[in-house]
């Protein structure tokens, strides 16, 4: 096995352990997080900002609904391959992996309560979860710019 692949597997294992620990301890949705306003073309998005390890590991777990044009923006300090699963997430979601310039690089649909991994194909520091099908319905496909992204600290 090549060193980069071994390093990636170790990182994914570590992230899985952290996420499992967080999800095991979490029994209800996290309180609503601070929000930021984003735009995708003419569409306005109200996105909760998950910018800490804890808020990112809990994400939208246990939520019963998501308001129209609302989502959760995951902000990572460092660019990397970001992976998500849907354990304890009750809603079907679509996730967009977004480059530093705001360009949607890829979109994946995620099934509720699934442990299947959905990973960015290239290093990113932003991922935006929305109600499943939101991107397709709004015509926000790969190549669309998301404006208003906060600057990582």
């Amino acid at each position: 096995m090549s060193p980069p692949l071994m390093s990636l597997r170790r990182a994914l294992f570590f992230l899985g352990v952290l996420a499992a620990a967080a999800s095991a301890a979490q029994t209800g949705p996290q309180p609503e997080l601070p929000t930021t306003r984003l735009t995708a073309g003419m569409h306005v998005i109200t996105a909760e900002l998950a910018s800490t390890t804890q808020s990112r590991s809990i994400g939208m777990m246990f939520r019963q609904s998501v308001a129209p044009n609302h989502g959760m923006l995951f902000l990572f300090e460092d660019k990397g391959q970001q992976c998500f699963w849907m354990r304890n997430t009750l809603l079907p979601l679509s996730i967009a992996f977004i480059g530093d310039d705001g360009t949607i690089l890829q979109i994946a649909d995620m099934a509720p309560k699934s442990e299947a991994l959905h990973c960015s194909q290239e290093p990113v520091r932003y991922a935006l979860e929305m109600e499943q099908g939101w991107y397709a319905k709004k015509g926000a496909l790969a190549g669309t710019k998301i404006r208003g992204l906060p600057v990582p600290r």
Side-chain angles (χ1 to χ4, degrees), residues 10-87:
R10 274 192 223 122
L12 288 175
F13 174 78
F14 178 70
L15 288 173
V17 169
L18 282 176
S23 66
Q26 190 71 20
T27 58
Q30 68 181 318
E32 189 170 318
L33 300 169
T35 61
T36 189
R37 182 178 177 263
L38 306 173
T39 59
M42 64 182 214
H43 305 287
V44 177
I45 301 163
T46 301
E48 290 182 58
L49 187 56
S51 60
T52 66
T53 301
Q54 182 176 356
S55 65
R56 288 188 302 260
S57 67
I58 298 168
M60 288 194 177
M61 280 191 227
F62 301 106
R63 297 223 176 155
Q64 299 289 327
S65 64
V66 60
N69 298 314
H70 280 63
M72 186 170 287
L73 179 66
F74 294 80
L75 174 59
F76 297 87
E77 294 83 20
D78 299 311
K79 276 174 102 169
Q81 182 182 42
Q82 309 302 341
C83 295
F84 291 76
W85 66 354
M86 296 284 285
R87 176 187 276 179

Side-chain angles (χ1 to χ4, degrees), residues 70-148:
H70 280 63
M72 186 170 287
L73 179 66
F74 294 80
L75 174 59
F76 297 87
E77 294 83 20
D78 299 311
K79 276 174 102 169
Q81 182 182 42
Q82 309 302 341
C83 295
F84 291 76
W85 66 354
M86 296 284 285
R87 176 187 276 179
N88 297 325
T89 304
L90 309 175
L91 307 167
L93 300 173
S94 295
I95 189 166
F97 295 102
I98 304 168
D100 281 354
D101 67 351
T103 302
I104 295 176
L105 303 174
Q106 100 196 53
I107 299 169
D109 287 337
M110 303 186 298
K113 300 181 182 179
S114 171
E115 293 186 16
L117 285 179
H118 302 275
C119 299
S120 61
Q121 295 172 350
E122 53 189 278
V124 297
R125 70 179 92 234
Y126 300 104
L128 179 60
E129 287 181 340
M130 298 293 289
E131 173 185 24
Q132 191 169 91
W134 186 92
Y135 295 102
K137 288 175 195 167
K138 304 297 183 185
L141 308 173
T144 299
K145 294 274 189 182
I146 302 293
R147 305 228 186 265

